[in-house]
Amino acid sequence: MADQDAPAAGARPHQRDLTTGPIGKTLLAFAIPTLGSSIVQSLNASINSIWVGRLLGEEALAATANANMVWFVLIAFTFGFSMATSILIGQAWGRRDVEGARRVLGTAVTFFFGVGILVLIAGELAAPDLLRLLGTPGEALPLAATYLRTFLLGTPAAVVLVALSMALRGSGDSVTPLYFMLLAAALDVVLNPLLIAGIGPFPALGIAGAGYATAIANWVALTGLILFAYARRLPLTLGGRDLRFLVPDRGQLGTIMGKGLPMGLQMIVISVSSLAMIGLVNAQGVETAAAYGVTMQLWAYVQMPAMAFGAAVSAMAAQNIGAGRWDRVDRITRIAIIQVTVITAALIGLFILFEKPALGLFLGMDSPALPIAIRIQWIATWSFLMFGLVLVLFGTVRAAGAVVAPLLILAVGLIPVRLGFAGGAQGWLGSDAIWWSFPVGTIVNLVLAWLYYRSGRWRKAKMAPTT
């Protein structure tokens, strides 16, 4: 049932009605804060790695890298669940069904907090075993276990914070999540050296201090977001009789898990493909491995616009689908394709223009790995233009509830095609086969994604009703 008190467009400074107005301007204004959140998180991780490496050394840096990978595997599915939450809320918001959106939010908050607690307990009990499964070097294992156990203390807050951020984006607010990503990152960056080295009144906790810093930052940011929501009376805020929505609704929970699982599996597919690719690269020798590692640092930033616009398209399309504005959905997709192509092309051009100093910053201008890194960039980096188009198409079809086809398309492009080409074509391309596998796999993904989008089958998919 639609809520008569549904907020009008512009009723809140950061709340956008994504079903009306000029699509290009609205989409860009909505996507930029999402892109900002991704940049903040990446910079936060990079700066924390610098602190750990400089203050504790290479063993500690390796320990945190391994522990972070274990943590990522443990929570990978929550990304899919949070995306499903965002789409459900977006569709409800498009129908002006505020009560339905709040019902989804209440179920999601309780579910994500429960998942966070389970991950915390499992990680605390099995930290050393999980790290051994990953192949963590023996000398780094005790440090990694210590870091993981302290880092895990912030997991319930971290997953709920992500869920609330995705929920807000589903309701048309991408700015408020950026504020609290900034808060979490700033606290993390400041607390890391204080707790690692024991500066001022703070205890010297070593690598445990790095874990505690992140955990504290997540809990403070989550608390701040909740207080802000109530102080500003954000439309999704649960109060009074709406607090009953914190008792999970079986139907909503089933949809979040059923639709979120395939999206979470995509993170697993990406991780498996990445690990296998690293194995192929390592077989080429240490210089090639170093060159690839540095190139990946730059690629992390090149692909950010694609990820931000994919998420923005998903939220915007979901609202319009909920409002029955199918005429706008195709236009949103077309405009997003243009915008993400222009922004990604500009970034790639910038990196190519300054490739030697950018890569040399990590490797040194005299490094024998530098020419290899430059070759990798010239062969593979342009494929991220197509990757952006794939994520925009995926964002649109997911907004309707079609989540299995994107998973299958991604799996085909990344595993049999990319990995198959990287390994099978080395007989005639040498190590270049690994780098050419990126555009080859992405072309296959793009063709399949476009064919599925054009077929229109995704329009028949359904998310569970929010009432």
Side-chain angles (χ1 to χ4, degrees):
M1 182 176 67
D3 191 327
Q4 298 302 316
D5 296 325
R12 299 292 193 282
H14 307 311
Q15 202 85 34
R16 293 183 179 276
D17 182 350
L18 305 179
T19 64
T20 60
I23 290 173
K25 181 180 177 181
T26 302
L27 179 62
L28 194 61
F30 187 76
I32 292 301
T34 305
L35 175 60
S37 295
S38 298
I39 293 172
V40 166
Q41 288 175 304
S42 292
L43 288 174
N44 179 27
S46 298
I47 294 171
N48 286 348
S49 294
I50 292 171
W51 283 129
V52 171
R54 292 291 180 88
L55 295 174
L56 297 174
E58 293 180 359
E59 267 188 22
L61 189 58
T64 58
N66 279 269
N68 285 332
M69 193 171 295
V70 168
W71 186 78
F72 176 81
V73 171
L74 287 172
I75 67 159
F77 288 109
T78 66
F79 293 106
F81 297 145
S82 63
M83 181 63 74
T85 299
S86 178
I87 292 169
L88 280 168
I89 288 175
Q91 289 194 5
W93 211 256
R95 295 192 298 271
R96 299 297 189 268
D97 182 7
V98 178
E99 182 176 297
R102 289 172 181 161
R103 185 181 291 110
V104 175
L105 179 67
T107 294
V109 167
T110 302
F111 171 65
F112 277 90
F113 187 76
V115 169
I117 294 294
L118 289 175
V119 170
L120 168 60
I121 294 170
E124 292 288 345
L125 293 175
D129 294 329
L130 292 169
L131 290 162
R132 286 191 195 97
L133 282 175
L134 190 64
T136 304
E139 60 274 18
L141 185 60
L143 290 172
T146 299
Y147 172 77
L148 182 58
R149 281 175 166 147
T150 54
F151 183 88
L152 281 165
L153 295 173
T155 300
V159 295
V160 173
L161 183 61
V162 169
L164 291 179
S165 297
M166 294 297 290
L168 286 168
R169 289 175 186 138
S171 70
D173 181 359
S174 62
V175 176
T176 299
L178 173 60
Y179 289 160
F180 292 92
M181 289 295 176
L182 282 167
L183 174 60
L187 280 173
D188 199 4
V189 167
V190 170
L191 288 174
N192 252 275
L194 298 180
L195 292 175
I196 290 172
I199 298 172
F202 296 91
L205 300 174
I207 197 167
Y212 282 126
T214 303
I216 292 168
N218 283 326
W219 280 108
V220 171
L222 175 62
T223 303
L225 176 54
I226 292 171
L227 292 175
F228 178 85
Y230 279 97
R232 297 293 296 270
R233 299 181 63 190
L234 298 185
L236 279 178
T237 304
L238 302 180
R241 61 192 298 269
D242 287 344
L243 289 173
R244 73 189 189 278
F245 296 147
L246 289 171
V247 177
D249 177 271
R250 185 173 299 179
Q252 298 296 344
L253 186 57
T255 301
I256 290 172
M257 295 180 69
K259 295 292 186 179
L261 186 61
M263 289 188 274
L265 281 171
Q266 289 184 42
M267 305 302 294
I268 301 298
V269 168
I270 292 170
S271 298
V272 169
S273 173
S274 297
L275 289 172
M277 189 65 70
I278 288 170
L280 291 172
V281 171
N282 287 342
Q284 305 299 315
V286 67
E287 291 175 0
T288 301
Y292 181 66
V294 168
T295 306
M296 286 180 67
Q297 293 279 341
L298 299 182
W299 284 350
Y301 291 94
V302 171
Q303 61 188 314
M304 280 182 186
M307 298 173 73
F309 274 85
V313 166
S314 189
M316 194 167 184
Q319 282 201 18
N320 282 274
I321 290 169
R325 297 294 309 273
W326 285 95
D327 58 307
R328 284 172 58 90
V329 173
D330 284 331
R331 287 161 55 205
I332 289 167
T333 306
R334 289 197 300 270
I335 291 170
I337 284 173
I338 294 169
Q339 290 182 346
V340 77
T341 300
V342 170
I343 294 173
T344 304
L347 267 179
I348 291 173
L350 192 63
F351 279 129
I352 289 175
L353 188 62
F354 298 101
E355 62 183 9
K356 281 193 175 180
L359 294 167
L361 183 66
F362 296 92
L363 293 169
M365 298 304 292
D366 299 324
S367 170
L370 183 58
I372 301 172
I374 291 173
R375 185 165 183 80
I376 294 171
Q377 176 149 303
W378 275 95
I379 291 174
T381 303
W382 64 274
S383 67
F384 288 101
L385 282 171
M386 296 180 292
F387 177 71
L389 309 188
V390 171
L391 289 195
V392 167
L393 294 172
F394 281 177
T396 301
V397 302
R398 283 179 189 139
V403 294
V404 174
L407 169 62
L408 296 177
I409 290 169
L410 189 70
V412 168
L414 289 184
I415 297 178
V417 176
R418 178 178 291 180
L419 293 179
F421 188 91
Q426 287 190 40
W428 54 286
L429 286 176
S431 61
D432 281 355
I434 300 174
W435 325 133
W436 279 110
S437 73
F438 283 88
V440 168
T442 309
I443 287 170
V444 170
N445 276 332
L446 179 56
V447 170
L448 293 176
W450 177 249
L451 290 174
Y452 181 69
Y453 177 82
R454 292 295 296 170
S455 75
R457 294 176 186 172
W458 54 276
R459 296 174 183 269
K460 300 176 182 177
K462 298 291 182 185
M463 298 292 283
T466 56
T467 54

